[in-house]
Amino acid sequence: MEKRTLPERPGWRDEAEKLGFSFADMGGEPYWDETSAYRFTLRQVEEDIEAPATELHALCREAVDRAVRDESWLTRLDIPREHWDLVAASWARGEPELYGRMDLAYGGHGPAKLLEYNADTPTSLYESASFQWLWFEQQRAAGVLDADADQFNSIHEAIVARWTQICTDGEEVHFTADPDNPEDYATVETLAWAAREAGLGAHFTALSQIGLTEEGQFADDQSRVIGTLFKLYPWEDMLRDDFARHLQGSGTRFIEPPWKAVLSNKGILPLLWQMFPGHPNLLPAFFLADVEEAMAGGSPAPELAPAFEAARETLAQGHVTKPIFSREGAGVVIREAGREVARTGDDSYSHHPMIVQGLARLPDFGGFHPVLGAWIVGETCCGLGLREDRSPITHNLSRFKPHFIEG
């Protein structure tokens, strides 16, 4: 793995604007940045990223199966009690999932480490699946990349295939998000584009325009009843929405399904560590309330004593605290050897329960720290997108970097 300086494509910003990639620059800074790209070998992609991410997803599904059967875990994950049946029944019925993005720490050597799993409402999809592939094809055609170079990216094709698996021929699918958020809208349009290619109907309705019929069904802004809904609206918010009491009786099939409320929660990380301690792609993780006293020299919760003692030295060397619900690095604090080294200014999620996780130091490439986004479609890893920042905490303005495979 290396970072290679490359020439930019002439006129790429004009092309981005023509394609609707309106957030290629944000806040006066580049968001899409092709002045350099990350190079991987095929072995690194296949053995260190693709296979481990697919395995991690399988472990996550085992963790969901454990959590939905255990009221203590549903409580710890802060899933509202009145919706436990909705979440558990969704899992028991085997309601299908569409996609997710695992954020991994990896620098080219050693096992990739799971930082967190954006399993419900991951964005950066358009950049990863579409604009990155266009960059690759054009740079290869221009001779900037070797003719035998490749890119780990079958995301769009996998999503098209997945739609055919989880929907019937010609099924009408509604898509909703905040239309005033360009990145959110680009995400749902990318998914809708794939749905249309799969032979499905695709209709966008602004989140604020979805209403309720007299029969208790959800309807769009044209009063059409919504049978299947992809929503870029996180379950932790949906379950607390004024309309939440109508979810179960509405008859709507939701994508992602309600059981993703378990998997998109950062509280899944302590559960994974409890179930699979020492797994090479996992970091030690605990609920902070269980081990805060122990980290100050006291004792952990008795049932966690063996696991904590095994991880005590690792956590003392470096650890991260973060809320079980948060977005774009909000509420994240990094400490090394007892000293705070980084935190985000956004603490809007910090009132939620916190977890503590062993620190996986991100690699340093010319002063930038990349995080790998491994895309899962269905149950398989099928592509890669990278974000980098000068800060060790990735946030909403961190740059998206293309990648390629060579060697």
Side-chain angles (χ1 to χ4, degrees), residues 366-383:
F368 284 89
H369 307 284
V371 168
L372 276 60
W375 288 96
I376 306 291
V377 176
E379 300 181 26
T380 305
C381 182
C382 61

Side-chain angles (χ1 to χ4, degrees), residues 18-75:
K18 182 174 63 177
L19 293 171
F21 188 10
S22 61
F23 52 99
D25 293 289
M26 291 193 292
E29 295 286 336
Y31 167 65
W32 170 271
D33 181 4
E34 60 180 68
T35 58
S36 58
Y38 283 89
R39 170 196 169 274
F40 295 85
T41 66
L42 184 61
R43 187 206 65 78
Q44 288 173 329
V45 168
E46 291 183 340
E47 298 180 14
D48 293 350
I49 300 167
E50 181 181 12
T54 297
E55 179 185 347
L56 284 169
H57 181 74
L59 300 185
C60 285
R61 288 181 59 88
E62 290 187 46
V64 173
D65 189 65
R66 163 79 176 274
V68 299
R69 301 169 190 271
D70 188 333
E71 292 185 355
S72 66
W73 273 103
L74 292 174
T75 299

Side-chain angles (χ1 to χ4, degrees), residues 276-294:
F276 310 105
H279 189 282
N281 299 113
L282 294 175
L283 294 163
F286 304 90
F287 280 93
L288 183 59
D290 291 339
V291 299
E292 190 168 18
E293 182 178 332

